Amino acid sequence: MHSHLNDMANHKSALKRIRQNEVRRLRNRYYHKTARTALKILRNEEDKAAATEQLPKVISLLDKLAKKNIIHKNKAANLKSKLTKHVNKLA
């Protein structure tokens, strides 16, 4: 966590912007980390039924991240495609 007391900004609006940026940075980091964990769990899933059930949830998660610009929309698309292939390959 950064200290806001010694930041260079002097304007009220700039100080608020610093506070907002920090909150958003942490929130985005949390979303990103959660998504990575979800991806890892799905990738390591061996059971087709469980994987098929998880896939839509993970896809919706990726879509939300892409919508909020936390990850690029093409990256989301690539991940969705790869995961779908992975799930379909499971016996």
Side-chain angles (χ1 to χ4, degrees):
M1 196 77 190
H2 302 296
S3 158
H4 301 305
L5 301 172
N6 56 10
D7 279 318
M8 296 305 287
N10 286 317
H11 291 280
K12 201 171 177 184
S13 61
L15 289 166
K16 179 177 177 180
R17 175 69 50 218
I18 289 166
R19 290 197 305 270
Q20 285 177 326
N21 286 342
E22 181 67 10
V23 167
R24 291 194 180 126
R25 185 180 73 86
L26 294 172
R27 189 182 298 140
N28 288 346
R29 205 169 80 178
Y30 167 75
Y31 287 147
H32 203 161
K33 186 66 181 153
T34 312
R36 282 203 299 259
T37 311
L39 290 172
K40 196 182 284 181
I41 292 169
L42 181 53
R43 280 197 195 106
N44 295 332
E45 186 61 67
E46 298 295 323
D47 177 33
K48 183 158 180 127
T52 311
E53 193 214 336
Q54 278 175 10
L55 187 64
K57 292 176 187 154
V58 175
I59 284 181
S60 121
L61 196 73
L62 288 170
D63 283 335
K64 282 175 192 156
L65 290 185
K67 189 179 174 190
K68 291 177 185 159
N69 254 329
I70 296 170
I71 60 175
H72 196 276
K73 64 178 176 33
N74 293 1
K75 179 181 174 117
N78 288 334
L79 285 169
K80 289 192 299 190
S81 154
K82 265 188 170 158
L83 288 168
T84 308
K85 274 182 177 169
H86 168 70
V87 170
N88 288 340
K89 217 162 55 179
L90 291 175

